[in-house]
Every structure is written in structure tokens, then in C-alpha cells.
Amino acid sequence: MISQKTKYAIKALMELADETAAGGSALTIEEIAQRSGAPKRFLEHIMLELRNAGYVGSRRGRAGGYVLIKRPDDISIGELLRRVDGPIAPLPCLSRKSYQRCEDCKDEASCRLRKMFGQVFWSYLLLIESLTLSDLVAEGGLPEMVSG
């Protein structure tokens, strides 16, 4: 599961992307909080992280606030998840950036857990790595998943 922090980060970025697309200007923390439903105190820390990561910029003064400085097409949802929550792999031995051998594993090559979770995880990665902020803010949003 993604954390509440990541949900608020994505919602804040969507609000900034919507504002940019509408030709608007910077949004204050209060405006982002009101539009996204994120608590202001929590959002202050998130926006600082997003600024430090290069997703948003801040402006001072009367027309100040936060603006998106990366194009929505250039903001990968997979990278954002890692940036805010850390590794997204279900097992440490499957992580690309934070690989660790499982303490209780004798042989990764024959580990059935690693193989099964690896197949599921790589499918998930293909999807999550292909998504951008643009996909989330596009008219109509993402297609509904068909359950079967």
C-alpha cells in the first residue's frame, strides 16, 4: 500500500498540474490543502520534500505559493512513489535501488517466494513506471480496471 503521505503528495501535484493547465498561477499551502483535502500542517512538509526533489518551486510575496516546475509528462508515478515512500518492492531481494539479500534465504535462484512475487512485482512495475502525472490529470483519467 502507498502511504497517506504519498497520496497527499500525488493529490497536491495533481492540483498544481490542474492549475497550470488552466493558466493559473502559484497556489498557497492553504489553497492546495483545501483543494486536495490534505491537512495543511502535513502538507507543508510534503511540499518541502517535493520542492527539494525538483517537482515544484516556491514563490514569495503577494502572488506567492507553489508551482509545478516539471512538466506533468516528466513526473513518473513510480519515481514519485520511491521518492516519498522509499523502495516499492515486496521483498528486499527484488528491489532495484535498495537490494538486500533476505536473511532467511539459502539460494535466491531457487527461492519460490522470490520467483512468485518477482513475477507479480515486474508486472506491477511495468504499469507503474509507464504512468505519469499527466495520466492522472488527463480528462477522463485512467481507464477502469476490469475485474474478472
Side-chain angles (χ1 to χ4, degrees):
M1 284 195 294
I2 65 171
S3 69
Q4 191 66 43
K5 181 179 178 182
T6 296
K7 285 172 68 175
Y8 290 150
I10 292 171
K11 287 180 175 188
L13 289 174
M14 288 191 303
E15 293 303 332
L16 291 173
D18 287 342
E19 186 67 20
T20 300
S25 59
L27 294 177
T28 64
I29 286 279
E30 290 82 8
E31 291 169 320
I32 297 169
Q34 183 180 29
R35 292 178 186 189
S36 69
K40 181 184 166 200
R41 285 179 48 216
F42 200 35
L43 195 55
E44 289 171 344
H45 298 288
I46 293 169
M47 295 309 293
L48 182 61
E49 280 188 42
L50 294 176
R51 189 185 80 195
N52 291 340
Y55 295 118
V56 301
S58 58
R59 295 183 185 158
R60 293 183 177 258
R62 194 165 164 220
Y66 287 93
V67 293
L68 205 56
I69 59 173
K70 267 189 153 180
R71 293 174 349 123
D73 285 343
D74 295 333
I75 298 177
S76 159
I77 299 302
E79 182 59 34
L80 179 63
L81 290 175
R82 281 186 199 88
R83 184 85 62 172
V84 177
D85 277 345
I88 58 177
L91 296 170
C93 64
L94 293 173
S95 179
R96 292 187 295 178
K97 299 193 181 200
S98 299
Y99 169 86
Q100 289 183 3
R101 187 173 179 87
C102 294
E103 292 177 18
D104 58 343
C105 186
K106 293 178 183 141
D107 179 22
E108 281 185 359
S110 64
C111 178
R112 291 184 288 179
L113 279 176
R114 185 174 200 268
K115 183 177 181 179
M116 192 261 311
F117 279 104
Q119 291 171 347
V120 171
F121 179 56
W122 298 129
S123 297
Y124 169 76
L125 270 184
L126 284 175
L127 175 63
I128 206 73
E129 293 294 343
S130 71
L131 294 176
T132 66
L133 184 60
S134 282
D135 295 317
L136 297 180
V137 297
E139 180 109 12
L142 298 174
E144 291 292 320
M145 297 299 279
V146 178
S147 59

